[in-house]
Amino acid sequence: MVSVRGLNKWFGPLHVLKDIDLTVAAGEVVVVVGPSGSGKSTLCRCLNRLETAGQGSVEIDGEPLPAEGRALARLRADVGMVFQSFNLFGHKTVLDNITLGPTRVRRVARPEARQQAMTLLERVGIADKANHHPAQLSGGQQQRAAIARALAMQPKVLLFDEPTSALDPEMVNEVLDVMVSLAAEGMTMIVVTHEMGFARRAADRVVFMDDGRIVESGAPDDFFAAPQTERARDFLSKILQH
Amino acid sequence: MDALTAHLSEFGHGLVTTVELTVVTTVGAMLLGIVVATLRIAPVPLLRAIGTAYVEVFQNLPLLALLVLFVFALPTIGITFPLFTSAAIVIAVYEGAYLAEAIRAGINTVGVGQAEAARAIGLTFGQSLRHVILPQGLRAVIQPIGNICIALLMNTSLAAAVGVVELTQAANTVNLVEAQPIAVFTGAGLAYMLLALIIGQVTGLLERRLAIVR
């Protein structure tokens, strides 16, 4: 579903992604972990070209990412993205946030789009907030609305860029629960996160990044029980000791 | 006072022309302002350059000079418009440069995340602008836009210099007959003030009505 070959990315002189190769099959849930600055968010953002790759190729469902313009917009519609800071449209109600993409990009009729949006809001448990503005919602509710917005496009793959990092601890689980149920339903997901519990529960594969490289990749049980590399052992010992 | 009451119809015509000129020009300048502000943030360097050039040219020339140039120079190369149309075009083009900068400031208040989220659901640049960026950016600068509209109203009096009989020109004509400058120009001044107050009220109303829930 997603195929990354020889991806390199520079921010000025800073080499942030180094020879990344990653293949994600349909229905697979890949969790990307690693220390801050290891390039995991940048990798995630390269997958729908919010960042442009310096070198290498990204293919979604067999199609190379178009450089720009309408073709890129069309492809992005198939790649859902959930951001760390939610990025709900502040001037629109939750319902209008969700229907904007389907009505403008997919040309779905408004009543139908609203109906679908309500179904999605029920699914993420905030149907009662449909007519509220984002600022009137808690962080966890905003993030669930943002997931509903991404789902409304019926994406082939969902990208999560640290979806719970900006949330109060007590709101993390309500978002993770939604993500776990999506994973269980067979959604193809690439999740950048520090939530190791989610990786254990929902991931088919854990990818560990450090210093712009994919250092290790394996099943979550193997990765957490017996990391192959010194760097991964060191990382896990630091975050799992509490 | 007699000088005013005796010439109510001249003042009335002048006032109507000023209001017409202001309304037409404001609409034109807003459209131009949105287009030019959009050019200035476009992903294509050439478009950005065009937007910048527009602003730098029209913001940095005196309106009176532009009016005179347009009305007296263009006919020498065979291009002529009615006086009112000429004045409206020039003032709209000139104020459009100021509005473009105010609108660009508004666009800059909208977080990068909003544009990224818009692109991520597959909206094109134009759609993101129309449905996500401009609605929020414009709301942020309603007050400065109102100020520019008031300046625009005042600037319509320069149209008198190229023969449009708007409020200032009407007052001038009446004064030539009555020779009572204090009464005549105070009267005209109060009319401008009233119009400016109305613009200010509308601005405040829009700002309250369109406030984004934060």
Side-chain angles (χ1 to χ4, degrees):
Chain A
M1 180 59 73
V2 179
S3 167
V4 181
R5 290 277 161 270
L7 187 66
N8 277 277
K9 168 81 186 165
W10 289 265
F11 286 126
L14 203 63
H15 196 177
V16 286
L17 291 178
K18 299 170 185 168
D19 301 321
I20 301 286
D21 290 307
L22 179 69
T23 307
V24 179
E28 197 179 11
V29 177
V30 173
V31 170
V32 183
V33 300
S36 297
S38 59
K40 48 193 197 307
S41 276
T42 308
L43 170 60
C44 190
R45 292 165 56 83
C46 281
L47 297 182
N48 68 351
R49 219 178 154 86
L50 284 181
E51 300 287 354
T52 52
Q55 260 176 27
S57 70
V58 176
E59 286 182 9
I60 306 286
D61 203 12
E63 274 186 70
L65 275 187
E68 53 195 67
R70 286 179 185 280
L72 178 60
R74 210 172 306 126
L75 196 127
R76 277 180 177 144
D78 289 335
V79 182
M81 182 147 192
V82 176
F83 299 86
Q84 181 176 352
S85 47
F86 329 132
N87 295 345
L88 291 170
F89 307 130
H91 62 302
K92 287 184 179 291
T93 62
V94 168
L95 192 68
D96 289 342
N97 262 274
I98 297 171
T99 56
L100 180 63
T103 52
R104 297 293 166 183
V105 179
R106 299 265 192 248
R107 304 283 169 200
V108 176
R110 181 155 282 277
E112 197 186 332
R114 292 175 83 90
Q115 210 172 358
Q116 286 169 356
M118 284 312 298
T119 310
L120 286 169
L121 283 174
E122 264 159 42
R123 174 173 175 182
V124 299
I126 49 169
D128 56 326
K129 304 290 181 192
N131 294 313
H132 287 58
H133 280 81
Q136 298 168 309
L137 271 57
S138 74
Q141 290 167 339
Q142 287 191 52
Q143 194 60 299
R144 286 186 280 156
I147 292 173
R149 178 176 67 182
L151 287 174
M153 298 303 292
Q154 300 173 328
K156 293 174 180 167
V157 51
L158 262 184
L159 310 174
F160 292 82
D161 185 7
E162 303 203 23
T164 57
S165 300
L167 297 176
D168 290 342
E170 57 184 331
M171 293 171 185
V172 169
N173 280 331
E174 64 189 52
V175 172
L176 290 181
D177 287 345
V178 171
M179 291 167 60
V180 169
S181 75
L182 283 175
E185 287 163 29
M187 174 63 78
T188 310
M189 294 164 61
I190 298 172
V191 185
V192 173
T193 186
H194 293 290
E195 297 295 332
M196 297 305 149
F198 173 78
R200 280 180 202 274
R201 270 163 80 197
D204 297 309
R205 185 149 52 107
V206 175
V207 169
F208 175 71
M209 286 184 71
D210 185 42
D211 194 28
R213 290 179 198 284
I214 291 181
V215 177
E216 197 169 329
S217 166
D221 290 345
D222 300 338
F223 177 75
F224 289 113
Q228 299 296 306
T229 58
E230 182 56 41
R231 191 63 195 88
R233 273 194 291 278
D234 183 49
F235 174 75
L236 287 174
S237 74
K238 279 176 187 154
I239 58 160
L240 294 178
Q241 62 188 349
H242 298 294
Chain B
M1 279 308 283
D2 289 349
L4 292 180
T5 47
H7 299 277
L8 274 182
S9 91
E10 284 101 316
F11 276 109
H13 284 300
L15 185 63
V16 167
T17 305
T18 289
V19 170
E20 283 173 353
L21 193 55
T22 303
V23 170
V24 168
T25 311
T26 301
V27 172
M30 269 307 282
L31 293 177
L32 271 170
I34 288 171
V35 169
V36 173
T38 304
L39 288 177
R40 293 207 69 178
I41 57 155
V44 184
L46 177 66
L47 296 181
R48 284 202 298 276
I50 292 171
T52 308
Y54 181 95
V55 169
E56 295 302 341
V57 167
F58 292 110
Q59 218 175 32
N60 296 336
L61 284 172
L63 177 55
L64 186 55
L66 286 171
L67 278 166
V68 170
L69 197 66
F70 195 92
V71 173
F72 298 119
L74 284 191
T76 64
I77 53 168
I79 306 170
T80 46
F81 292 101
L83 285 179
F84 181 91
T85 312
S86 299
I89 291 172
V90 174
I91 299 173
V93 163
Y94 174 83
E95 299 291 346
Y98 287 85
L99 281 172
E101 287 299 86
I103 291 165
R104 189 166 66 99
I107 289 172
N108 287 341
T109 67
V110 182
V112 177
Q114 296 284 311
E116 287 186 347
R119 277 185 282 158
I121 57 171
L123 297 182
T124 60
F125 176 74
Q127 286 176 319
S128 325
L129 211 59
R130 179 166 154 224
H131 300 293
V132 176
I133 309 298
L134 282 176
Q136 297 185 73
L138 287 173
R139 278 173 168 91
V141 289
I142 290 173
Q143 200 60 59
I145 287 176
N147 289 345
I148 293 171
C149 290
I150 290 174
L152 180 153
L153 162 68
M154 302 307 164
N155 280 338
T156 58
S157 64
L158 287 176
V162 291
V164 177
V165 187
E166 41 65 74
L167 186 54
T168 300
Q169 184 59 46
N172 224 352
T173 313
V174 171
N175 187 45
L176 287 178
V177 178
E178 299 287 342
Q180 291 197 38
I182 294 178
V184 168
F185 287 106
T186 304
L190 286 173
Y192 277 112
M193 204 170 162
L194 183 72
L195 292 176
L197 284 172
I198 291 171
I199 295 176
Q201 287 298 313
V202 170
T203 306
L205 185 73
L206 283 177
E207 201 167 42
R208 284 190 299 279
R209 278 285 172 82
L210 298 176
I212 294 172
V213 185
R214 288 187 196 280

